[in-house]
Amino acid sequence: MTDVGDSPSVRRLSAWDAAELQTLVDDYGSPLYVLDLERVRQNYRRLAAAFPDADILYAVKANALGDVLTTLREEGAGLECASAGEVQRALEAGASGSEVHYTAVNPPARDLDWIVDTWREHPDLTVTVGSEDTIDRLADRGYDGRLCLRVNPGIGAGHHEKVQTGAAAKFGVPAERAVDVLADAAGRGFDVVGIHSHVGSGVSSDQLDDHREFVARMGDLARKVSHVVGDLEFVDVGGGFGVPYRTDEEPLDLESVADATREALGEIDARLTIEPGRYFVADAGVLLTDVNTIKAARDTTVVGVDAGMTTLIRPAMYDAYHPIRNLTADLDADEREMIPQTVAGPICESGDVFCADRELPATERGDVLAIGNAGAYGYEMANQYNSRPRPASIILADGDARLARRRETVDDVTRPERETCGGTDADRKTDDHPAASDTDNQRVR
Ligand code: LLP
């Protein structure tokens, strides 16, 4: 078993065993996601050691593979879920209701129906709501269980404007209204257990002041709330712990983040809860991809690969940097010239590139490239655009590699439509999270 003592605070792409990864592509094909569960454990233990007094939830959205959920549960994490689907995954991974927090963001009726049904069987689950409307919609369904209020503290941070949630109007009840909303909910019989906020994702060391200010606002609010509705069970300050993607970036100094968090929160009569996603899984995963085309373009060399923005969307969506390593060149005895290259996928969009004009060893057709830090928000955001099946996922654990999720086929992509066209009208309405109830509309009408 892993010991925190021997776990480096960052695992760079260069530390992966090229021969082992090459063998995986030979055996399972490309593109291929690979996730090392031992590294997930190390990341958890390092963070837990820095926050010994906090409860830790894993934000499932970063990587929802069952093996990841099981591993982090074994380590002691609860699970923060963004949808009914993620709650279902959590329960399938063996979580009890008390380990599950469902964070409802403009929740679809279908999700709320399913969650309330599930709560009847698992009355200890916690629902975090970000608007008064959602409280009404829960009440309409008969829910009066554990309730946490997501607040908008008016301060955001993170690696890109699209993931800075703390000040975005979409998220949470404005902090200045939180006390009234919670007093009202308590008066209506809800079991008010906590307050929550999430500043954003990929917060770096140079945003530590924003983090401090954000946590201080949550501490102030917790004290105000406790005067009105009594002590809270927990104050959840979300996730957002950044990881280094570039080789010259330093990892977060967790001790400083933990000290700043405690100091900014001040005295509260409630447990501190954090809910990171990326931190546990990002550097535990790589994406492997075959090179199929080399083209001399006007100003660069284009390296065509079989993964694209449908496999890993972060570069296209956030201009995110991911390290790229040529495994074949590393395994070769030959020295290759370093030249600027643009690594591009097979999708018909100019944004479908993993890097532009990056200095890499001259690539050859048939090489295998590894794209680093692909364990967080990689497979989770993969999609079937251009009718491309999603890749397979491999788990490394206990010195072995095994297939955790098979590669999709084109048949998987076309099946729902084929089945619908061939089926009856009743089939067309069927859904495994069944049709949403009319509860919301009845109320409004
Ligand atoms: N809690 C809540 C309520 C969240 O919305 C999130 C992330 C987290 C926790 C975990 O944040 P983390 O520790 O992973 O930063 N797709 C984007 C990231 C979106 C994050 C959304 N919310 C990316 O690839 O950078």
Side-chain angles (χ1 to χ4, degrees):
M1 274 290 150
T2 318
D3 189 51
V4 181
D6 58 21
S7 124
S9 52
V10 55
R11 182 180 196 186
R12 306 279 183 193
L13 183 54
S14 55
W16 289 78
D17 182 332
E20 185 184 9
L21 294 178
Q22 172 74 58
T23 307
L24 289 176
V25 171
D26 294 343
D27 291 351
Y28 296 98
S30 167
L32 192 67
Y33 272 104
V34 180
L35 193 85
D36 182 350
L37 285 185
E38 228 22 52
R39 181 64 188 163
V40 175
R41 278 188 205 281
Q42 290 178 354
N43 289 338
Y44 182 88
R45 290 183 186 186
R46 192 177 328 98
L47 194 76
F51 284 90
D53 45 357
D55 291 331
I56 303 182
L57 303 172
Y58 167 57
V60 171
K61 62 174 77 69
N63 189 323
L65 206 57
D67 289 288
V68 174
L69 308 193
T70 312
T71 301
L72 288 170
R73 280 195 60 236
E74 274 170 22
E75 291 295 318
L79 300 172
E80 186 267 330
C81 302
S83 66
E86 286 188 2
V87 173
Q88 181 163 328
R89 281 178 180 275
L91 297 174
E92 280 172 9
S96 62
S98 63
E99 292 170 59
V100 174
H101 286 217
Y102 163 61
T103 311
V105 178
N106 301 331
R110 180 180 263 121
D111 275 34
L112 282 191
D113 292 345
W114 190 86
I115 291 290
V116 173
D117 282 350
T118 303
W119 160 72
R120 294 187 204 285
E121 276 168 51
H122 302 272
D124 291 342
L125 69 75
T126 301
V127 178
T128 300
V129 295
S131 83
E132 290 148 277
D133 220 15
T134 307
I135 301 179
D136 291 341
R137 294 170 70 205
L138 284 167
D140 291 345
R141 288 166 169 79
Y143 182 89
D144 62 358
R146 292 167 59 81
L147 190 81
C148 168
L149 185 69
R150 181 170 186 165
V151 299
N152 183 316
I155 181 161
H159 73 84
H160 189 276
E161 60 180 24
K162 287 188 179 151
V163 298
Q164 298 178 353
T165 41
K170 171 175 172 181
F171 299 101
V173 169
E176 57 280 14
R177 289 222 312 272
V179 174
D180 288 347
V181 172
L182 283 171
D184 183 60
R188 292 166 72 184
F190 285 94
D191 181 11
V192 172
V193 290
I195 55 171
H196 167 285
S197 194
H198 173 66
V199 71
S201 191
V203 180
S204 56
S205 314
D206 54 12
Q207 294 175 317
L208 201 58
D209 284 345
D210 294 331
H211 172 76
R212 210 179 265 115
E213 178 58 29
F214 161 77
V215 176
R217 291 185 193 184
M218 292 300 285
D220 287 345
L221 180 62
R223 284 180 285 277
K224 281 188 200 141
V225 171
S226 66
H227 288 138
V228 179
V229 288
D231 282 341
L232 293 171
E233 205 175 282
F234 64 85
V235 175
D236 185 336
V237 297
F241 299 79
V243 300
Y245 282 78
R246 294 174 190 266
T247 36
D248 58 357
E249 266 175 278
E250 288 301 317
L252 274 188
D253 177 355
L254 285 182
E255 298 302 329
S256 317
V257 178
D259 286 349
T261 306
R262 267 180 230 112
E263 197 189 294
L265 198 58
E267 282 298 312
I268 53 164
D269 235 341
R271 300 275 301 164
L272 166 66
T273 299
I274 53 174
E275 50 183 44
R278 185 190 313 269
Y279 189 86
F280 299 137
V281 286
D283 73 357
V286 292
L287 169 63
L288 306 178
T289 183
D290 273 341
V291 175
N292 52 44
T293 310
I294 305 286
K295 186 175 75 174
R298 244 173 245 118
D299 305 314
T300 188
T301 299
V302 177
V303 175
V305 294
D306 61 1
M309 63 188 281
T310 53
T311 332
L312 175 69
I313 203 172
R314 300 191 73 257
M317 189 152 173
Y318 314 114
D319 285 325
Y321 180 98
H322 282 260
I324 297 179
R325 173 178 171 200
N326 188 321
L327 299 177
T328 315
D330 282 357
L331 291 168
D332 258 2
D334 302 345
E335 279 290 307
R336 303 223 192 151
E337 193 192 347
M338 296 294 282
I339 54 167
Q341 293 165 82
T342 296
V343 178
I347 309 300
C348 284
E349 297 210 14
S350 45
D352 181 33
V353 293
F354 290 114
C355 69
D357 295 330
R358 192 180 299 177
E359 292 275 331
L360 295 167
T363 312
E364 294 169 11
R365 178 143 52 93
D367 286 351
V368 175
L369 303 185
I371 302 180
N373 284 56
Y377 305 108
Y379 190 93
E380 286 313 309
M381 298 178 83
N383 59 76
Q384 298 175 330
Y385 180 41
N386 279 199
S387 292
R388 287 204 176 274
R390 279 175 284 225
S393 299
I394 300 292
I395 284 292
L396 305 180
D398 308 320
D400 260 338
R402 65 184 156 76
L403 184 64
R405 177 167 45 203
R406 70 161 172 84
R407 182 178 304 288
E408 287 180 348
T409 60
V410 173
D411 194 60
D412 290 321
V413 177
T414 57
R415 188 177 307 128
E417 187 180 335
R418 224 179 25 253
E419 285 174 355
T420 308
C421 296
T424 62
D425 207 41
D427 294 336
R428 274 173 218 136
K429 290 185 178 148
T430 306
D431 188 335
D432 55 348
H433 280 179
S437 76
D438 241 3
T439 312
D440 295 332
N441 292 339
Q442 276 159 9
R443 212 182 67 80
V444 174
R445 262 185 228 128

